Amino acid sequence: MSERKLRALAAEYLWDGLVLKDDIFNHTGDVLLLPKGETVTRHKLNKLMGFYGDNKNIMVYEETFLEIMSDEHVPAEVRQTFLESHVGYTQIHQSVGGLFKRLDYETWLDSEKIKPLVQAVFSKLEHFDPVMILSCINFPRPMEEDLQRHSLNVALLNGMQAEWLELSKDEVETLLLAGLLHDIGKTKIPEEILNAPRRLTEEEMAVMRMHPVYSDELLRGKFDDNVRLAARHHHEKLMGTGYPDGIADEKIGLYARITAISDIYDAMVSARSYKSTRLPLDVFDMLYQEEFEGLDRSLVMNFLNNMRSRYISKQVVMSNDRRGEIVYIPLNDASHPIIRQDGDIRQTDEEWYCREILSTVI
């Protein structure tokens, strides 16, 4: 029988009232601090920790570590850092960031050289619950990290959509690549416009709207035309009112239509200085109500139906600070899901609402 693994945990992440499902030990793992079944109190923990000087870590078993690090009592930023590391999002994000900060495009902007990165993204789709991946995507990010995180997020969302559409493995990988590179042209946009902490002026928007053209120029001759055209056309609208070419209907390829949905979803759940972050459920509503004109309705509905099914049975923190469970998400009113809490089942409203959707790693 293999020996159970202990992991270091900051004692500050325990909370009053936590009933231990397993023993916890001092920072060396040699001394039992509190036994399984005991209820943690701050007074009791501080008294025990006082014997060990400045070291404020404890040792817990792996299962306990994962459970505590997924709990809403742990600060959101700490939970997010742990989740992204656990999923492997952090490592891929750093790789994407490294690419986007390099100026020698001729060296790295090559389909073979970027293939390992595509494979790394694909492996996350194979091995992790979509909601865990979506929890990495949905969390606010610093403005200076926006381009690389957005590119990775769109790749992941493209991959999910491709799998939900039952496309081939090659098509999934092509859509992942399209997501990673759809905004590569933004590297040619002046930083004072790209990272402006405000709404852009009309003149600045005209500059920003050139980024699909720049993406096309950077990708032309180096990548499959499906990747290049997804980058050029992901801001086009089916009725012909998009940019940069103003094309419509069937002239907008499938990969561009898919990327457009991923691009909008990620933009809406991300933080911006001029708008507040939204829950995924709110964005589902916006998509269903067609607040973003010119999207392929059949693809939007496929996206919404699959997203809704993934969030059923997930834990949420409600506005009364207690946990609940998502029972049902109405297609035409996703912002007001039906929640089970303390034995009661009812629909949320303006006074009793979901504050956070939790993602556990066990």
Side-chain angles (χ1 to χ4, degrees):
M1 182 174 170
S2 60
E3 188 175 341
R4 297 177 69 193
K5 180 182 177 182
L6 286 170
R7 292 187 65 167
L9 176 73
E12 64 182 294
Y13 298 151
L14 302 183
W15 59 90
D16 283 333
L18 169 64
V19 179
L20 297 174
K21 295 183 180 179
D22 224 324
D23 300 335
I24 63 172
F25 303 87
N26 73 325
H27 66 282
T28 65
D30 299 320
V31 178
L32 176 68
L33 289 182
L34 293 172
K36 174 181 178 180
E38 185 122 1
T39 299
V40 173
T41 67
R42 180 53 50 189
H43 173 74
K44 188 183 300 182
L45 190 62
N46 285 344
K47 186 176 179 180
L48 289 169
M49 294 298 294
F51 290 109
Y52 298 101
D54 294 332
N55 196 312
K56 301 303 180 186
N57 284 341
I58 56 175
M59 298 293 284
V60 298
Y61 289 112
E62 177 77 6
E63 296 85 352
T64 301
F65 178 87
L66 296 177
E67 183 175 8
I68 289 174
M69 290 302 291
S70 299
D71 196 277
E72 69 266 26
H73 287 89
V74 176
E77 293 78 8
V78 175
R79 276 186 281 134
Q80 189 67 20
T81 298
F82 164 67
L83 175 65
E84 291 185 8
S85 176
H86 180 78
V87 172
Y89 180 96
T90 303
Q91 182 180 1
I92 299 176
H93 163 236
Q94 290 170 345
S95 298
V96 174
L99 293 180
F100 276 78
K101 288 176 182 176
R102 293 177 63 178
L103 299 178
D104 54 334
Y105 299 113
E106 295 298 326
T107 301
W108 69 263
L109 204 51
D110 174 272
S111 58
E112 285 303 311
K113 290 182 179 177
I114 208 168
K115 200 169 187 178
L117 185 54
V118 173
Q119 292 294 331
V121 178
F122 185 80
S123 71
K124 303 309 170 190
L125 297 175
E126 287 188 307
H127 295 111
F128 288 98
D129 175 5
V131 173
M132 288 181 64
I133 295 173
L134 288 166
S135 294
C136 296
I137 291 172
N138 296 338
F139 199 76
R141 64 258 193 167
M143 186 68 74
E144 64 272 12
E145 291 185 4
D146 189 56
L147 179 56
Q148 55 263 39
R149 288 188 71 118
H150 176 63
S151 300
L152 174 54
N153 293 350
V154 172
L156 288 163
L157 290 162
N158 270 7
M160 289 181 191
Q161 289 194 74
E163 292 188 339
W164 296 338
L165 291 166
E166 300 182 348
L167 301 183
S168 68
K169 183 175 183 291
D170 285 345
E171 290 173 305
V172 174
E173 291 184 356
T174 300
L175 272 161
L176 290 175
L177 187 55
L180 283 172
L181 298 175
H182 78 290
D183 269 351
I184 188 66
K186 285 185 177 178
T187 58
K188 290 186 171 292
I189 302 297
E191 285 194 15
E192 60 269 22
I193 294 178
L194 188 64
N195 296 324
R198 53 174 171 74
R199 293 188 183 275
L200 299 180
T201 66
E202 282 300 317
E203 293 78 11
E204 289 170 331
M205 277 302 302
V207 174
M208 181 65 85
R209 285 179 178 144
M210 285 298 295
H211 77 269
V213 177
Y214 297 149
S215 294
D216 184 352
E217 292 172 352
L218 288 168
L219 300 175
R220 188 178 292 272
K222 299 177 182 177
F223 293 89
D224 184 285
D225 276 351
N226 284 318
V227 174
R228 179 181 63 82
L229 291 175
R232 184 176 182 100
H233 293 155
H234 70 280
H235 286 295
E236 300 289 355
K237 308 296 182 187
L238 290 184
M239 73 288 289
T241 58
Y243 65 90
D245 300 320
I247 58 175
D249 298 324
E250 69 279 356
K251 291 184 179 178
I252 305 172
L254 175 64
Y255 290 10
R257 296 180 189 211
I258 290 172
T259 303
I261 295 170
S262 300
D263 181 69
I264 286 173
Y265 176 84
D266 184 60
M268 289 300 102
V269 295
S270 70
R272 295 289 188 275
S273 59
Y274 53 83
K275 69 172 178 65
S276 60
T277 308
R278 299 177 177 90
L279 285 179
L281 303 178
D282 299 324
V283 182
F284 298 168
D285 248 358
M286 297 168 76
L287 286 165
Y288 182 79
Q289 299 298 338
E290 299 188 78
E291 291 191 25
F292 314 104
E293 63 177 15
L295 297 177
D296 185 316
R297 189 63 178 171
S298 64
L299 293 176
V300 168
M301 294 307 297
N302 182 272
F303 179 82
L304 290 177
N305 287 329
N306 278 281
M307 282 285 205
R308 288 167 57 244
S309 70
R310 267 62 183 183
Y311 279 99
I312 299 300
S313 300
K314 297 303 179 185
Q315 296 288 304
V316 292
V317 179
M318 301 301 295
S319 53
N320 59 7
D321 294 325
R322 299 205 301 273
R323 279 200 188 196
E325 177 188 347
I326 298 176
V327 175
Y328 180 70
I329 302 172
L331 179 59
N332 63 347
D333 191 15
S335 290
H336 298 102
I338 295 171
I339 303 294
R340 178 186 289 112
Q341 186 183 72
D342 301 332
D344 294 328
I345 299 177
R346 64 187 175 102
Q347 189 167 20
T348 60
D349 53 36
E350 300 310 309
E351 295 182 356
W352 186 68
Y353 54 87
C354 299
R355 203 177 68 221
E356 180 184 1
I357 300 174
L358 295 173
S359 179
T360 65
V361 297
I362 55 174

